[in-house]
Amino acid sequence: MNKIDLLGRKLDLRHGCVDLSHGSGGRAMTRLIADIFHAAFDNDWLRAGNDQSAFDVSAGRMVMTTDSYVVSPLFFPGGDIGLLAVNGTINDIAMAGARPLYMSASFIIEEGFPFVDLQRIARSMGAASRAANTPIITGDTKVVERGKADGVFISTACVGAAPKDVELSADRARPGDVILLSGSIGDHGVAVMSKRENLSFETDILSDTAALQDLVAAMMAAGHASIRAMRDPTRGGLAATLNEIAYQSRVGARIDEAALPIKPQVAAACELLGLDPLNVANEGKLVAIVSPEATEGVLNAMRAHPLGADAARIGEIIDDDHCFVQMTTAFGGLRIVDWLSGEQLPRIC
Amino acid sequence: MKHLDEYRDGALARGVARRIAKEAQDRRVYSFMEFCGGHTHAISRYGIEDLLPPNIRLIHGPGCPVCVLPSGRIDEAIELGKRDNVTLCVYGDLMRVPGSNGASLARAKANGADVRMVYSTLDAVKIAENDPRRQIVFFAIGFETTTPPTAMAIRLAQRKKLENFSIFCNHVLTPPAMRKILETSDSQALPLDGFIGPAHVSTIIGTAPYRAFAREFQKPVVVAGFEPLDVLQAILMLILQVNGGHAEVENEYIRAVTEDGNRIALAEIADIFELRESFEWRGLGEIPASGLRLREGYWEFDAERRFPVDKRFARDNPACECGAILRGVKHPRDCKLFGGACTPETPMGACMVSSEGSCAAYWSYGRFRAFERKAAE
Ligand code: SF4
């Protein structure tokens, strides 16, 4: 007797949807996992069907991270929640200068969620994890009543490895260090907002969601001893990331507005909505703090990689007890670049 | 965006800045008030003060609709929102404005009041249409710029015969506030040499309404756009007027503002709204003929008539200097709470909530100057 018989009828992937039985631990759940998740993620670990997966570790440092994804809408120009989850988790590992190795993924699914959508999300996760050489080797599924979740929430974890002497950390920035940015800012946030209810507007901007481990590997090869810290400016945008680094390192930063890569469509959308592109989320960019003598080499390595083609030197770390991030405006003045307070809200007038 | 880039061009700015430096006479101080929060925001965001000689002072005015709303009105709105069948629709800026005793619409919402954030008046009309069993109240607020969209919503509700839509009207007028500042300003506490006049407001009302008090008080007014180059250019025009002993109304924002304004919008406003005898402004107190309410023919859309709430007189936090800041006599850094108890995360006064408020703008973009000043002293 083969496996399909054991699990009963195949899912009606075209018309069906998730119901509470798919989270109950019974046959329906195993069916859902087999037809959607295993089919999409497809690897030997999952095929073994255990509640955990085992793998060998190499010498050096292990790096670990965890993350959750609750984006709305689930599908947006240039990606979906699944792609975001895989790329975002991989990037958290990569920002330590490490190679991502293995991932886990847990799903909290709202009753009534269509199989087609779930399959679409799982397939883009499978494709992204294969492209990044980081298989999803274990996971979990829960189903909650209608109204208790917003479609689907995804939780991930990832482990990676780095050579013994690599020690990137956001508290290592020193006055005189140079700030590098891998490409244009604000693309992801604008792409997602363009599809929000109440707010929808026409734009051809796509989310920049991307896994950055290869770009990072190229940068590390060019000068890993002189890279002090890396961080991907996701929620809160470039402004939040620079403030975090300044705060953790007890330094200030000064950036140059004219050097910031911003696409004209993103600038236009932000203008329309009264948002500051510096506060808008990115999902495929990184900020690197580099000691001055290595700047050229690292910048060239970034520009040689497709995900760093628009990389730019945007400013430097300065001495400042107040940990202010300042910006020389294109207009010629000076201003603070602050963390965002509360939600970004469009202005009244 | 090409169009906007021209108004943010650094090279052009340096050109105007050089002219300003040349025209400004060393032996005197020039104090100009930018009335609008939009200007305050632009000045901080682009660091315009860095391009000016030190003897030019910019004073932030009361042109931030959220900031001048007295806290009693927030309390009244919370009262409305707490009613069982009422859904209160508000612009996002209003959610965190403090009412009395730490109350805010955001807190009322967390405690179960049906308060919803909308992006436009039409969203509120749509909600009313989709949910005929609930009473939808739109929190109407703002200067002349936001009055036409409120008028439009009322027209639409009227056409659709919506019986469950009304507005809580807090629309106010700009010229009476500018006049009040001039009438009460004591030239010792607040030397004022001229106004950078409103941008968006003037697209509706035109430049003519400023003429009377420019003449009466001998103060020049230059209506200017919200782009940084507009502001610089307006400052230059004001300096030239002051140097020449003029007090005229000039228009820097000719690409959008005419002398008479938008007649269609004005006629629509005049049809639907009438002047209140008086309206309270935070910082400025009661100002006669400065607020709007619905005319008798539109009373069915007036939330204050439909759901009578008692008038509240809430006291602001006594240490909050919003009032003095809105009058232009104090600066955010003069407030003891600034940056300590009061930040955008925990606002103690309205000026710290709206991005157009002086305290919020100074906190978000310019607070390093406070430390520079201290270091210099
Ligand atoms: S800093 Fe806060 S408390 Fe002080 S005046 Fe401004 S808003 Fe009021």
Side-chain angles (χ1 to χ4, degrees), chain A residues 22-241:
Chain A
H22 292 110
S24 63
R27 207 174 267 141
M29 186 174 104
T30 314
R31 180 93 252 179
L32 176 84
I33 292 171
D35 287 7
I36 292 188
F37 296 122
H38 288 187
F41 303 162
D42 188 42
N43 56 54
D44 290 340
W45 288 275
L46 291 178
R47 250 171 264 134
N50 294 317
D51 285 344
Q52 70 291 116
S53 287
F55 50 84
D56 295 333
V57 294
S58 54
R61 294 158 66 85
M62 299 298 290
V63 182
M64 181 173 175
T65 188
T66 177
D67 214 341
S68 350
Y69 294 82
V70 294
V71 64
S72 158
L74 297 170
F75 301 93
F76 46 82
D80 57 58
I81 186 174
L83 193 60
L84 215 57
V86 171
N87 289 343
T89 313
I90 285 173
N91 290 346
D92 282 348
I93 294 290
M95 292 309 114
R99 272 252 158 223
L101 298 171
Y102 304 101
M103 277 187 74
S104 73
S106 299
F107 297 81
I108 295 175
I109 311 167
E110 185 183 10
E111 180 187 17
F113 193 66
F115 289 143
V116 256
D117 288 349
L118 194 59
Q119 186 179 46
R120 193 170 150 200
I121 290 166
R123 281 184 175 164
S124 70
M125 292 178 79
S129 77
R130 273 189 294 278
N133 243 326
T134 310
I136 301 169
I137 59 170
T138 185
D140 185 49
T141 312
K142 293 275 165 3
V143 179
V144 296
E145 283 164 51
R146 199 181 276 276
K148 297 266 165 72
D150 188 3
V152 59
F153 299 152
I154 303 177
S155 260
T156 55
C158 188
V159 290
K164 252 233 147 16
D165 57 339
V166 169
E167 205 171 332
L168 304 195
S169 176
D171 61 4
R172 294 187 54 219
R174 294 291 164 265
D177 287 353
V178 172
I179 308 171
L180 303 178
L181 172 67
S182 68
S184 63
I185 54 169
D187 301 9
H188 174 73
V190 165
V192 169
M193 267 182 269
S194 75
K195 290 289 168 282
R196 285 244 166 103
E197 222 185 321
N198 296 338
L199 219 60
S200 51
F201 54 91
E202 284 300 318
T203 176
D204 52 2
I205 283 289
L206 301 179
S207 165
D208 60 350
T209 176
L212 296 170
Q213 82 287 355
D214 289 339
L215 173 64
V216 168
M219 293 167 68
M220 295 299 282
H224 82 259
S226 34
I227 301 177
R228 316 249 202 234
M230 278 196 254
R231 198 157 269 197
D232 52 338
T234 53
R235 238 179 336 170
L238 181 63
T241 296

Side-chain angles (χ1 to χ4, degrees), chain B residues 319-322 325 332 335 337-339 342 348-352 359:
Chain B
C320 171
E321 299 278 12
C322 270
I325 291 169
C335 172
L337 303 183
F338 178 83
C342 184
M348 307 295 283
C351 304
M352 194 55 104
C359 297

Side-chain angles (χ1 to χ4, degrees), chain A residues 271 329 334 336 338 341 347, chain B residues 8 46 50 365 367 369:
Chain A
E271 192 65 40
T329 69
L334 201 60
I336 281 190
D338 211 355
S341 44
R347 293 195 293 269
Chain B
R8 296 176 188 174
Y46 295 95
D50 293 329
Y365 298 125
R367 66 182 183 277
R369 285 176 222 282

Side-chain angles (χ1 to χ4, degrees), chain B residues 46-366:
Chain B
Y46 295 95
I48 289 176
E49 277 158 309
D50 293 329
L51 283 89
L52 299 175
N55 58 331
I56 296 180
R57 304 247 166 91
L58 296 179
I59 302 163
H60 310 317
C64 156
V66 171
C67 306
V68 293
L69 185 79
S71 3
R73 293 296 275 181
I74 293 286
D75 287 356
E76 289 165 31
I78 291 173
E79 230 21 75
L80 271 173
K82 277 199 203 144
R83 284 174 174 254
D84 269 350
N85 61 335
V86 167
T87 297
L88 186 66
C89 295
V90 305
Y91 289 132
D93 282 35
L94 278 169
M95 291 295 271
R96 294 185 309 129
V97 177
S100 53
N101 302 324
S104 71
L105 288 163
R107 187 163 294 179
K109 179 179 159 77
N111 286 331
D114 189 3
V115 182
R116 297 192 207 165
M117 216 170 79
V118 291
Y119 294 100
S120 80
T121 54
L122 300 183
D123 288 347
V125 176
K126 217 183 284 164
I127 293 175
E129 235 184 320
N130 293 341
D131 202 347
R133 283 160 314 157
R134 291 193 68 76
Q135 284 291 334
I136 310 304
V137 177
F138 174 69
F139 194 133
I141 180 173
F143 295 103
E144 292 88 336
T145 333
T146 45
T147 317
T150 304
M152 195 162 75
I154 287 178
R155 274 280 177 257
L156 196 65
Q158 192 183 38
R159 206 159 355 122
K160 293 183 186 258
K161 303 199 169 47
L162 296 181
E163 285 171 5
N164 62 331
F165 178 82
S166 58
I167 68 161
F168 179 57
C169 187
N170 295 280
H171 285 299
V172 288
L173 304 178
T174 309
M178 292 173 82
R179 168 177 282 275
K180 171 92 177 197
I181 290 170
L182 286 170
E183 274 169 4
T184 49
S185 97
D186 111 35
S187 53
Q188 292 278 290
L190 177 67
L192 196 60
D193 298 303
F195 282 105
I196 299 173
H200 295 172
V201 163
S202 306
T203 62
I204 306 291
I205 67 172
T207 57
Y210 310 115
R211 197 155 292 136
F213 62 76
R215 200 173 305 128
E216 187 180 332
F217 295 94
Q218 282 298 300
K219 303 286 181 197
V221 177
V222 176
V223 168
F226 280 152
E227 292 305 321
L229 206 55
D230 289 322
V231 177
L232 268 190
Q233 183 66 33
I235 292 169
L236 176 61
M237 289 163 81
L238 284 168
I239 293 173
L240 293 176
Q241 281 209 45
V242 171
N243 289 350
H246 304 297
E248 273 151 39
V249 178
E250 282 188 288
N251 184 5
E252 182 278 338
Y253 197 27
I254 33 177
R255 62 185 189 277
V257 172
T258 61
E259 162 127 9
D260 298 325
N262 181 338
R263 294 199 190 162
I264 300 173
L266 286 172
E268 187 69 350
I269 293 174
D271 184 63
I272 294 179
F273 297 96
E274 64 183 7
L275 283 174
R276 295 177 192 254
E277 291 75 53
S278 169
F279 194 74
E280 188 196 343
W281 295 54
R282 173 180 287 119
L284 301 178
E286 291 283 341
I287 305 182
S290 68
L292 297 177
R293 67 172 168 230
L294 289 167
R295 277 190 193 282
E296 190 173 346
Y298 298 89
W299 277 359
E300 56 181 309
F301 299 108
D302 191 341
E304 285 173 271
R305 290 184 187 276
R306 196 175 285 195
F307 313 102
V309 274
D310 293 337
K311 188 158 172 46
R312 306 294 179 96
F313 297 94
R315 266 170 50 89
D316 291 331
N317 185 321
C320 171
E321 299 278 12
C322 270
I325 291 169
L326 288 165
R327 287 194 301 278
V329 296
K330 284 206 171 162
H331 191 275
R333 65 175 167 264
D334 301 329
C335 172
K336 281 202 286 294
L337 303 183
F338 178 83
C342 184
T343 65
E345 280 76 24
T346 54
M348 307 295 283
C351 304
M352 194 55 104
V353 178
S354 165
S355 65
E356 315 214 323
S358 300
C359 297
Y362 190 62
W363 172 263
S364 302
Y365 298 125

